[in-house]
């Protein structure tokens, strides 16, 4: 039972030549089908074929087959070139015939699969963190083998340790990873999956009746925010990366009342310019805006000059602080607040805080 790369035709490398991989949901469906084949046929298969949501079929080798633990089969997850903490995980399914026969396939979460403890995820509180599309894939894969009711338990050895590298704890998923996937395929460095994660986190915060949600651009700003506002529950802190605009719109639509945004000079300068997707490849810092805020706040000529002598807002911010002139940075925060409110439709109260590059010191706020 080898662990060679599963087959997909045609080849699905993305445009940059990065290798795609497979979601935990796809691997779980393959493991479930293989375990069911063992239960029905009396022999564990060396490989198994399952359908993706698109209808395309893929084939996987099986792993961890041991006669001492019958009807338990694993598929080793290959995340391709995506930096996924579940890459190499043994997504495992164990099946047995159901005794009540009410549900054709009763899904259970075993060791290493998280349990849902908060509402807002679209999953039953107290149930396993197996998202709807993977659940359908698992049931479909089993139905290709038998229509007799059975119980399928998905487990992931080491899943609890993997989950520590995710946002599961904030979302109220405890004890392991989530079984995820909407297409069945992992695209390396997928912005779609990151956006979906942000939306999910805000929905959970809203479901917990959070009055304030804190948006941070990364780990350092998030650490600063959690130290600064210990009264805010962990579920209400969301790392948005470059997707501030998406987070603001979702928060407004979910009825969140107040947003606190924490970022460094570069991100806030872009928000001040009205740029809500702040990735450096998609937008550059507007040095003319930096010069304008310096002039409008009556900053000394050295600060005005610093605005255009570099392409980085970090340099501008550091010059302002070195010379004890925070007013231009406060003005950037004010502009960012106005643009964030406007982008969200004016329904949010917004506070913007600028911190230094190390995420230690507050430089300005509005």
């Amino acid at each position: 039972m080898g662990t060679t790369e599963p087959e997909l035709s045609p080849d699905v490398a993305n445009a940059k030549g990065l290798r795609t991989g497979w979601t935990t949901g796809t691997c779980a469906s393959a493991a479930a089908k293989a375990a069911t084949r063992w239960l029905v046929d009396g022999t564990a298969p060396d490989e198994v074929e399952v359908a993706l949501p698109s209808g395309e079929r893929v084939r996987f080798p099986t792993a961890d087959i041991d006669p001492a633990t019958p009807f338990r089969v694993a598929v080793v997850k290959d995340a391709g070139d995506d930096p996924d903490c579940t890459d190499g995980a043994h997504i495992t399914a164990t099946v047995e015939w159901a005794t009540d026969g009410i549900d054709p396939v009763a899904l259970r979460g075993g060791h290493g699969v998280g349990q849902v403890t908060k509402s807002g995820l679209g999953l039953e509180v107290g149930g396993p963190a197996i998202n709807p599309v993977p659940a359908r894939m698992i049931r479909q894969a089993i139905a290709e083998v038998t229509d007799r009711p059975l119980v399928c338990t998905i487990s992931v050895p080491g899943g609890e340790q993997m989950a520590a590298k995710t946002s599961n704890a904030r979302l109220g998923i405890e004890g392991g990873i989530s079984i995820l996937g909407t297409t069945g395929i992992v695209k390396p460095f997928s912005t779609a999956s990151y956006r979906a994660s942000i939306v999910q986190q805000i929905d959970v915060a809203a479901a917990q009746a959070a009055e304030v949600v804190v948006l941070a651009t990364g780990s350092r700003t998030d650490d600063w925010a959690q130290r600064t506002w210990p009264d805010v529950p962990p579920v209400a802190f969301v790392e948005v990366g470059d997707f501030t605009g998406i987070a603001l719109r979702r928060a407004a639509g979910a009825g969140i009342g107040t947003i606190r945004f924490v970022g460094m000079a570069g991100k806030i300068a872009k928000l001040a310019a009205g740029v809500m997707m702040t990735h450096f490849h998609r937008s550059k810092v507007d040095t003319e805006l930096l010069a304008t805020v310096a002039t409008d706040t009556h900053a000394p000529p050295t600060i005005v000059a610093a605005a255009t002598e570099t392409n980085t807002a970090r340099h501008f911010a550091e010059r302002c602080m070195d010379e004890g002139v925070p007013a231009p940075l406060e003005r950037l925060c004010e502009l960012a607040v106005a643009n964030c409110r406007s982008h969200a439709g004016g329904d949010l109260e917004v506070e913007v805080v600028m911190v230094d590059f190390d995420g230690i010191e507050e430089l300005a706020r509005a």
Side-chain angles (χ1 to χ4, degrees), residues 67-135:
T69 53
F71 320 128
R72 185 180 74 183
V73 180
V75 167
V76 179
K77 177 176 174 177
D78 178 2
D81 289 329
D82 195 64
D84 190 325
C85 69
T86 60
D87 184 41
H90 287 227
I91 312 299
T92 305
T94 306
V95 297
E96 59 183 326
W97 296 121
T99 57
D100 56 25
I102 296 174
D103 190 341
V105 179
L107 282 181
R108 304 283 186 265
H111 183 73
V113 171
Q115 183 181 53
V116 178
T117 66
K118 290 184 172 73
S119 58
L121 289 167
L123 298 173
E124 181 183 357
V125 173
I130 302 175
N131 278 19
V133 171

Side-chain angles (χ1 to χ4, degrees), residues 5-14 18-22 52 54-59 185:
E5 188 174 327
E7 299 171 4
L8 175 66
S9 182
D11 183 46
V12 288
N14 70 8
L18 295 175
R19 198 166 54 86
T20 57
W22 310 101
L52 298 177
S54 67
E56 187 162 14
R57 300 186 69 84
V58 290
R59 185 172 293 275
I185 298 172

Side-chain angles (χ1 to χ4, degrees), residues 19-329:
R19 198 166 54 86
T20 57
W22 310 101
T23 63
T24 48
T26 298
C27 296
S29 71
K33 183 174 182 179
T36 305
R37 284 267 306 275
W38 190 356
L39 180 65
V40 171
D41 299 340
T43 304
D46 291 342
E47 60 181 16
V48 67
E49 182 184 274
V50 294
L52 298 177
S54 67
E56 187 162 14
R57 300 186 69 84
V58 290
R59 185 172 293 275
F60 292 86
T62 56
D64 301 344
I65 293 174
D66 184 349
T69 53
F71 320 128
R72 185 180 74 183
V73 180
V75 167
V76 179
K77 177 176 174 177
D78 178 2
D81 289 329
D82 195 64
D84 190 325
C85 69
T86 60
D87 184 41
H90 287 227
I91 312 299
T92 305
T94 306
V95 297
E96 59 183 326
W97 296 121
T99 57
D100 56 25
I102 296 174
D103 190 341
V105 179
L107 282 181
R108 304 283 186 265
H111 183 73
V113 171
Q115 183 181 53
V116 178
T117 66
K118 290 184 172 73
S119 58
L121 289 167
L123 298 173
E124 181 183 357
V125 173
I130 302 175
N131 278 19
V133 171
R136 287 197 297 272
M137 292 175 69
I138 293 168
R139 290 188 168 99
Q140 177 184 338
I142 291 172
E144 291 180 357
V145 181
T146 182
D147 58 3
R148 182 176 169 183
L150 55 73
V151 176
C152 176
T153 302
I154 305 298
S155 57
V156 182
E160 191 166 3
Q161 291 72 32
M162 297 172 197
K165 302 175 183 178
T166 73
S167 60
N168 274 13
R170 295 190 191 184
L171 293 172
I173 298 172
E174 298 181 357
I177 65 167
S178 304
I179 305 302
L180 301 172
T182 54
T183 64
I185 298 172
V186 174
K187 296 182 179 180
F189 304 96
S190 169
T191 57
S193 62
Y194 195 93
R195 289 197 302 269
S197 173
I198 292 167
V199 166
Q200 186 180 58
Q201 290 181 68
I202 290 173
D203 285 351
V204 171
Q208 305 311 305
E211 297 179 357
V212 175
V213 167
V214 181
L215 308 181
T217 54
S219 59
R220 283 171 290 181
T221 49
D222 183 70
D223 289 344
W224 182 93
Q226 293 203 50
R227 291 194 307 270
T228 303
W229 296 303
D231 57 316
V232 175
V235 72
F237 290 89
V238 182
E239 288 189 35
V240 296
D242 299 304
F243 298 102
T244 305
I246 290 167
L248 290 168
R249 291 196 302 273
R250 191 67 177 195
I256 301 295
T258 301
I259 288 291
R260 295 173 184 165
F261 178 89
V262 183
M264 297 174 188
K267 302 293 188 187
I268 291 176
K270 291 178 182 180
L271 295 180
V275 178
M276 294 291 139
M277 171 51 179
T278 57
H279 193 282
F280 70 94
H281 283 312
R282 298 197 182 192
S283 62
K284 296 183 180 296
V285 170
D286 185 344
T287 55
E288 291 186 5
L289 174 64
L290 299 183
T292 297
V293 298
T295 301
D296 289 349
T297 56
H298 309 291
T302 52
I303 297 298
V304 177
T308 54
E309 68 188 18
T310 178
N311 288 326
T312 70
R314 177 183 177 180
H315 172 78
F316 177 72
E318 289 174 346
R319 287 294 298 274
C320 287
M321 300 314 295
D322 287 345
E323 298 196 25
V325 184
L329 305 183

